[in-house]
């Protein structure tokens, strides 16, 4: 059975890009959220195996989103997506419970490596 992933990014283009990479490589995208608040709701509804979470989003940013999802499920697998130069926020996200991070612009290999590594660790 393919692993189920929830994509969270405020840019529809980025969500589409990640979705294409994932579906092409055998993952099932169960939902797309445009901010952390929507991601938390979708997480509760779909219980995905993994969440990709953008850091900078309106309404609820990625760090708040990580904390909220981890309060629902302490074992949640979350990978942060950040732009270059957001190291401080990435560190905050890791401390909040994110298990890995990928940097934009995305490279397919890096996305897949991060996902496989996090899912392998459980």
């Amino acid at each position: 059975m393919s692993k189920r992933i929830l994509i969270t990014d405020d840019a529809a283009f980025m969500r589409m890009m990640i979705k294409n990479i994932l579906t092409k490589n055998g993952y099932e995208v169960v939902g797309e959220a445009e901010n952390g608040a929507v991601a938390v709701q979708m997480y509760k509804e779909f219980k995905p195996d993994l969440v990709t979470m953008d850091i900078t989003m309106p309404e609820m940013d990625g760090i708040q989103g990580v904390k909220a999802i981890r309060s629902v499920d302490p074992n949640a697998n979350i990978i942060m997506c950040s732009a270059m130069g957001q190291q401080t926020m990435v560190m905050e996200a890791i401390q909040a419970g994110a298990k890995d991070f990928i940097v934009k612009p995305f490279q397919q290999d890096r996305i897949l490596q991060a996902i496989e590594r996090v899912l392998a660790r459980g």
Side-chain angles (χ1 to χ4, degrees):
M1 199 177 106
S2 64
K3 293 291 185 183
R4 304 164 68 250
I5 299 179
L6 170 64
I7 299 169
T8 312
D9 199 301
D10 57 329
F13 170 75
M14 293 311 277
R15 292 195 308 268
M16 187 182 73
M17 209 171 96
I18 297 170
K19 182 178 184 172
N20 288 342
I21 290 170
L22 296 177
T23 51
K24 193 168 70 184
N25 287 280
Y27 292 100
E28 179 190 349
V29 174
V30 293
E32 296 180 36
E34 62 274 10
N35 64 51
V38 175
V40 173
Q41 290 310 313
M42 287 185 155
Y43 189 88
K44 291 176 187 171
E45 187 179 336
F46 298 117
K47 312 229 180 335
D49 297 301
L50 186 133
V51 179
T52 65
M53 181 79 72
D54 187 22
I55 287 188
T56 319
M57 295 179 289
E59 230 170 292
M60 182 188 278
D61 70 23
I63 293 168
Q64 292 171 307
V66 169
K67 289 177 180 170
I69 288 174
R70 299 268 307 185
S71 72
V72 172
D73 177 3
N75 300 314
N77 291 315
I78 305 169
I79 295 178
M80 297 310 292
C81 304
S82 73
M84 293 299 272
Q86 291 183 316
Q87 284 86 344
T88 316
M89 292 174 97
V90 168
M91 290 313 297
E92 257 185 82
I94 299 287
Q95 287 164 350
K99 299 199 175 170
D100 205 340
F101 67 94
I102 45 181
V103 178
K104 297 174 184 176
F106 297 129
Q107 289 158 332
Q108 177 173 315
D109 293 352
R110 178 68 185 105
I111 292 175
L112 296 172
Q113 280 171 358
I115 288 172
E116 285 161 20
R117 190 168 47 237
V118 169
L119 289 173
R121 275 189 253 152

